[in-house]
Amino acid sequence: YRIVPPAVPTPAVKHAAEEMQSYVKQVSGAELEIVKDSKIEADLKGKYISVGNTSLLKKSGYTVNYEGLNGDGYILQTYDNTLLINGASERAMIYGVYEFVEEIMGVRFISADYTYVPKSDSVPLYDIDIVDAPSFRLRNEYSYGIINSPEFYTQTRLAAPEVNVSARFGGNVGWYNKFNSIHNAFYWVSDKYVDTNPEFFARNEMGAVYFGQGEPGTANPSKGYPQQLCLTNGMTADGKLDESMEKSVAKIALESLKSFILDDPSAHVYFFGHNDRQVRCRCKNCRDVEYKYKDKEASNGASAILIRFINMLSDEIGEWMEEEKIDREITLATWAYLETEEAPVNEVSPGKYEPTDPSVIPRERGHPHRTHLPGLVSAHSERHSAGEERRKGQDLRQVVGVDRQHDGVDL
């Protein structure tokens, strides 16, 4: 057998082909040749393992339902003597190879520093028909042992916004992450303003800024580290941008978002996350808004302030994108964490809830420019959309998509 990537493979597809070659050799001792697509005749009766968008895939007539693969899904399909591996993303090409390596060859990725590799005189190739779509678009195990190892991160099929991996491992997941992708409020509005504009930051009821431990990447202002932003600064009473203020948290955050969008045209998710400090602003404006929106039995006013702020950004950035003729779909995301874990809703009857005010309902595709806000996501996770197609009604882990009544052929 020979492994066939496209004539000009991407870094991820090249890596996928090399991983197939490596594990076949580790298991059986046989070294399969990697031959580019342009060097072979597209004959499905030939003994090939096609990785990516090759002439072999095209000749097979197999139509990959990329939309149904939910971002990172993949297919493994045999045609005559050829095995086709393809996927909906760059990392999915690698996942398809790992599916074969694990389920057919018996390799197990145990940890970042240990992989179980069985030994065998042969590697079988069965009749295979696998379509695997992840249930979640974003997948993360919040363990430094995983996220600090791009190899193991990819082997375990994770896809998380706070992890930067090179194109060799499939690249990033579309989140703007030129800085801390979760606790990042001070990248939107720098804490350096504490010297000139203390009202930008969380204060106590007497008007004094809360100071404490700094966040990674903060500016180390002369007065110490403020803890959070004041998210009513620059907002009107009804949750809009206060145009009368020359400089405010709201206006600076909006300009930051514009710069992020222009900085990375490939990104489509922009996450605003308050800092990892259990402090919220107690200035008069924040207390008034909290009182207005909170349920009388709960402490959910802080989440109302946060959603109003993100909704304002969504409205304003939408108008700006239309003016600038930027035709991209973007998502503004934030999270339910610490003071914002409780949703801004009232319980109107047992088990029935409604928003405390229309202004705290997250925007959902509210503009022609296709920006939308999916709403608060849970702490240390993201809002996920479930994949609809698994594998022709069967559980992949039970049957692995192979016809084990056939003896198969030896790679």
Side-chain angles (χ1 to χ4, degrees), residues 76-136:
L76 283 79
Q77 177 73 54
T78 48
Y79 272 84
D80 292 330
N81 293 327
T82 293
L83 171 63
L84 305 172
I85 300 176
N86 199 267
S89 67
E90 290 295 297
R91 68 182 63 84
M93 306 292 187
I94 308 173
Y95 296 163
V97 167
Y98 287 151
E99 181 66 35
F100 186 89
V101 165
E102 289 185 290
E103 300 301 339
I104 305 301
M105 297 167 61
V107 172
R108 294 292 180 266
F109 302 114
I110 305 301
S111 68
D113 57 5
Y114 179 72
T115 298
Y116 169 73
V117 180
K119 300 300 180 181
S120 175
D121 293 334
S122 63
V123 175
L125 175 61
Y126 302 99
D127 290 336
I128 298 176
D129 177 12
I130 295 175
V131 177
D132 185 27
S135 296
F136 302 105

Side-chain angles (χ1 to χ4, degrees), residues 95-316:
Y95 296 163
V97 167
Y98 287 151
E99 181 66 35
F100 186 89
V101 165
E102 289 185 290
E103 300 301 339
I104 305 301
M105 297 167 61
V107 172
R108 294 292 180 266
F109 302 114
I110 305 301
S111 68
D113 57 5
Y114 179 72
T115 298
Y116 169 73
V117 180
K119 300 300 180 181
S120 175
D121 293 334
S122 63
V123 175
L125 175 61
Y126 302 99
D127 290 336
I128 298 176
D129 177 12
I130 295 175
V131 177
D132 185 27
S135 296
F136 302 105
R137 281 285 184 111
L138 299 177
R139 307 169 298 279
N140 189 22
E141 176 65 35
Y142 208 75
S143 164
Y144 288 109
I146 295 177
I147 64 179
N148 288 337
S149 169
E151 293 89 350
F152 191 54
Y153 169 85
T154 308
Q155 289 163 350
T156 50
R157 298 165 171 82
L158 298 180
E162 65 268 36
V163 179
N164 282 301
V165 295
S166 68
R168 179 188 176 203
F169 299 106
N172 297 324
V173 298
W175 285 51
Y176 185 81
N177 58 0
K178 298 295 182 70
F179 44 71
N180 186 332
S181 61
I182 46 178
H183 302 297
N184 60 20
F186 289 165
Y187 289 93
W188 291 68
V189 179
S190 173
D191 58 354
K192 69 182 181 181
Y193 286 108
V194 75
D195 289 329
T196 57
N197 298 90
E199 72 277 7
F200 287 2
F201 302 93
R203 292 165 288 154
N204 62 26
E205 295 185 8
M206 301 299 293
V209 174
Y210 290 113
F211 287 103
Q213 183 177 351
E215 291 289 328
T218 53
N220 193 17
S222 61
K223 294 182 179 179
Y225 294 103
Q227 299 297 281
Q228 304 283 12
L229 293 174
C230 172
L231 297 184
T232 62
N233 183 271
M235 302 281 289
T236 63
D238 59 352
K240 305 296 183 181
L241 179 68
D242 189 345
E243 298 284 4
S244 69
M245 297 182 66
E246 181 178 351
K247 183 167 64 173
S248 66
V249 168
K251 283 192 171 181
I252 294 171
L254 178 59
E255 291 305 310
S256 294
L257 179 55
K258 292 176 184 178
S259 69
F260 302 156
I261 291 172
L262 295 174
D263 178 56
D264 186 359
S266 68
H268 56 86
V269 180
Y270 299 85
F271 187 87
F272 177 91
H274 44 283
N275 297 326
D276 199 10
R277 302 287 177 262
Q278 202 153 3
V279 170
R280 71 181 192 272
C281 186
R282 308 310 300 145
C283 74
K284 185 178 186 305
N285 282 346
C286 285
R287 282 183 286 130
D288 287 347
V289 173
E290 282 197 22
Y291 183 79
K292 175 181 177 181
Y293 291 124
K294 70 181 288 187
D295 178 74
K296 59 185 178 183
E297 300 297 332
S299 57
N300 50 13
S303 60
I305 290 175
L306 176 60
I307 295 179
R308 284 187 350 143
F309 184 80
I310 303 299
N311 279 344
M312 176 277 299
L313 291 177
S314 178
D315 293 339
E316 294 294 327

